[in-house]
Amino acid sequence: MVVTTTPTIEGKRIVEYKGIVFGEVISGVDFIKDFAAGISNFFGGRSGSYEEELLRARENALREMEQRAMQMGANAVVGVDIDYEVLGTNNGMLMVTASGTAVKIE
C-alpha cells in the first residue's frame, strides 16, 4: 500500500478514486507518564514517555486508515493529513486522526 501526503504518485496513474478514508486513535495518558513528563518539564529536556505514546498513536492511526482503504478496494492513499488533538478532563487523552483519499493506481 502506497501512502503519501502528495495528491499524486510519481510514475503511477490513478485509475479510480474510492473515497475519503480515516484512521482514528484516542490514547489515554496515565499517571506514570504524566509524572515522568512533569519531571522532564521541570528540569528541561524531552519526554520520552509522551513521545512514545504519540508515535504509537500515529502509527496505529495510519495503519487503521490503510486497512479501511484496502476494504474499499484501494491500493494507495493520497493527500494524507495527520491531526493531533488533546481531549478529556485535564487534557488526559490524545486523539490522532489520519485522513486521505483512497485510490486505485496502476
Side-chain angles (χ1 to χ4, degrees):
M1 167 88 41
V2 177
V3 176
T4 181
T5 59
T6 61
T8 60
I9 301 168
E10 189 173 337
K12 301 291 182 183
R13 187 168 75 88
I14 295 174
V15 294
E16 187 178 355
Y17 289 85
K18 299 289 191 173
I20 298 171
V21 288
F22 294 90
E24 304 92 6
V25 172
I26 298 177
S27 292
V29 180
D30 63 24
F31 172 77
I32 302 299
K33 289 179 187 170
D34 218 18
F35 180 75
I39 291 173
S40 294
N41 188 36
F42 182 77
F43 290 108
R46 296 168 61 165
S47 171
S49 59
Y50 276 172
E51 287 177 2
E52 272 184 43
E53 190 63 38
L54 184 60
L55 176 64
R56 190 171 20 259
R58 184 176 57 236
E59 288 174 350
N60 288 337
L62 284 167
R63 187 172 26 254
E64 184 176 297
M65 182 189 66
E66 287 178 35
Q67 290 171 349
R68 289 180 178 167
M70 284 189 282
Q71 290 171 351
M72 296 169 76
N75 61 357
V77 181
V78 296
V80 172
D81 181 50
I82 300 173
D83 292 312
Y84 305 89
E85 193 166 336
V86 179
L87 305 170
T89 309
N90 299 324
N91 297 324
M93 305 291 279
L94 170 68
M95 180 173 72
V96 179
T97 304
S99 61
T101 303
V103 298
K104 187 83 166 173
I105 58 173
E106 291 186 319

